[in-house]
């Protein structure tokens, strides 16, 4: 095609986007970095996708995010995170997100995860719209489709419910002028077709935790010039050859680094935070960045500098 070369990853520049504003390094957290096992860099790093609510439940943390950071292994260049709230209780009656977003260095995104598609209702819709009016909400999501083999509810009826909830959320996000955070596992092409039909080409999109093929990624990146592909700790797993291919070929200006914490702890971070051996934390995006730098045979700082600009372009933070 004219804009893309599927072998070498020659993808069009994002001409529709304005030049990136100057980014002022901000480090709002006290960090101990007790293990000294993180890759060394002074470039500010923001985890573009995590789940602080799930992390706190798993870690039985009842304090603030700032106190959590101070008590754990976090590198000194950790600058914050985008916390995704995709479970109805998180933005329902108790609004637990309000305390989390009240802290410096934490922004939010709200959406109904496809696993919860059966729960889509007028009340859920109302609660989501209210949550997305929060001044620190930077996107709608994660939302989308999930046909994963380990997700048992993929009957035709459930898939239709997922699609209905996805389309409804796209409409609300567009009305509220919110970027999308997309979850599409084993359903990349179906999600792509829905977005092509329902969203303008220049909309900002974070395709979260991408695990599909490079060929499919190429098609989406060419069609949506303001789409970013999110790479998680999955890139460090020996079985994730498709993800490593994407990490090697994607232009850096279209890449976001995320942890999806508390899930997918990077395999190269095994020596970090050994009192929580199962959980990823937002700090561990540095290990994802280090693996990408290794795959691409470039310096870690080169990855982090460009990805920080991409977070600014995607989320305005």
């Amino acid at each position: 095609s004219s804009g893309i070369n599927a072998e070498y990853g020659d993808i069009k520049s994002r001409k529709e986007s304005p030049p990136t504003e100057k980014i002022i390094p901000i480090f709002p957290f006290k960090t101990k970095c007790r293990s000294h096992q993180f890759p060394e860099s002074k470039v500010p790093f923001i985890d573009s996708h995590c789940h602080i609510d799930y992390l706190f439940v798993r870690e039985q943390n009842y304090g603030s995010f700032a106190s959590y950071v101070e008590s754990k292994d976090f590198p000194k260049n950790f600058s914050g995170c985008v916390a995704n709230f995709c479970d109805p209780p998180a933005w329902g009656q108790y609004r637990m997100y309000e305390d989390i977003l009240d802290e410096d260095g934490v922004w939010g995104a709200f959406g109904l995860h496809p696993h919860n598609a059966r729960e889509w209702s007028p009340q859920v819709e109302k609660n989501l719209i209210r949550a997305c009016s929060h001044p620190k909400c930077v996107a709608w999501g994660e939302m989308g489709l999930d046909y994963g083999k380990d997700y048992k509810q993929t009957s035709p009826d459930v898939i239709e419910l997922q699609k209905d909830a996805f389309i409804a959320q796209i409409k609300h996000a567009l009305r509220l002028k919110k970027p999308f955070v997309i979850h599409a596992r084993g359903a990349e092409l179906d999600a792509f077709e829905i977005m092509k039909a329902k969203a303008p080409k220049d909309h900002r999109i974070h395709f979260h935790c991408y695990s599909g093929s490079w060929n499919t990624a190429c098609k989406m990146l060419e069609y949506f010039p303001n789409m970013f592909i999110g790479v998680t700790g999955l890139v460090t797993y020996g079985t994730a050859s498709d993800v490593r291919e994407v990490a090697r070929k994607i232009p850096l200006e279209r890449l976001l680094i995320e942890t999806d914490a508390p899930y997918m702890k990077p395999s190269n971070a095994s020596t970090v935070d050994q009192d929580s051996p199962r959980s990823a934390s937002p700090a561990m995006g540095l290990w994802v960045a280090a693996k990408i730098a290794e795959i691409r045979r470039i310096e870690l700082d080169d990855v982090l500098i460009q990805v920080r600009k991409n977070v600014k372009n995607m989320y305005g933070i």
Side-chain angles (χ1 to χ4, degrees), residues 44-260:
F45 168 73
I46 290 178
D47 180 7
S48 66
H49 187 106
C50 64
H51 299 275
I52 294 179
D53 51 344
Y54 297 160
L55 179 66
F56 280 9
V57 169
R58 181 178 285 194
E59 298 289 295
Q60 298 184 334
N61 180 76
Y62 305 107
S64 67
F65 182 65
S67 64
Y68 177 83
V69 170
E70 189 173 0
S71 69
K72 295 286 185 177
D73 278 347
F74 270 71
K76 295 185 182 300
N77 62 329
F78 178 72
S79 289
C81 59
V82 178
N84 282 247
F85 300 91
C86 55
D87 201 358
W91 25 262
Q93 179 180 357
Y94 299 105
R95 304 187 201 179
M96 67 175 295
Y97 63 86
E98 291 183 339
D99 288 339
I100 293 174
L101 296 190
D102 195 42
E103 300 194 56
D104 291 337
V106 184
W107 297 267
F110 301 89
L112 187 73
H113 193 286
H115 285 187
N116 301 321
R118 290 180 182 275
E119 299 184 50
W120 184 252
S121 68
Q123 186 61 52
V124 163
E125 195 172 22
K126 180 180 177 181
N127 290 345
L128 261 178
I129 293 169
R130 180 185 62 198
C132 284
S133 70
H134 192 285
K136 290 181 75 178
C137 172
V138 295
W140 188 300
E142 58 190 277
M143 60 176 173
L145 307 171
D146 196 312
Y147 305 165
K149 293 179 181 179
D150 61 340
Y151 177 51
K152 305 304 182 185
Q153 301 183 54
T154 51
S155 66
D157 288 347
V158 173
I159 288 173
E160 285 306 307
L161 288 174
Q162 289 188 15
K163 290 181 177 179
D164 289 345
F166 186 23
I167 291 168
Q169 290 181 88
I170 286 175
K171 291 178 180 177
H172 285 304
L174 293 175
R175 182 175 59 82
L176 296 174
K177 297 181 170 61
K178 296 293 184 183
F180 302 160
V181 181
I182 300 298
H183 173 112
R185 186 174 57 145
E188 292 85 2
L189 288 174
D190 280 3
F192 181 35
E193 291 302 316
I194 288 172
M195 289 189 288
K196 283 199 297 183
K198 302 297 181 180
K201 289 185 69 171
D202 63 350
H203 201 69
R204 284 178 290 152
I205 301 170
H206 176 177
F207 201 115
H208 145 69
C209 192
Y210 186 75
S211 59
S213 71
W214 170 239
N215 184 54
T216 298
C218 282
K219 293 176 182 177
M220 294 193 297
L221 290 168
E222 183 176 25
Y223 188 87
F224 289 110
N226 293 320
M227 175 182 278
F228 298 87
I229 297 289
V231 174
T232 66
L234 193 61
V235 75
T236 69
Y237 297 0
T239 56
S241 57
D242 282 350
V243 179
R244 286 195 298 279
E245 182 180 13
V246 170
R248 184 173 69 255
K249 292 181 175 179
I250 188 171
L252 278 181
E253 66 174 17
R254 309 296 293 277
L255 174 71
L256 288 174
I257 290 173
E258 52 177 274
T259 64
D260 204 21

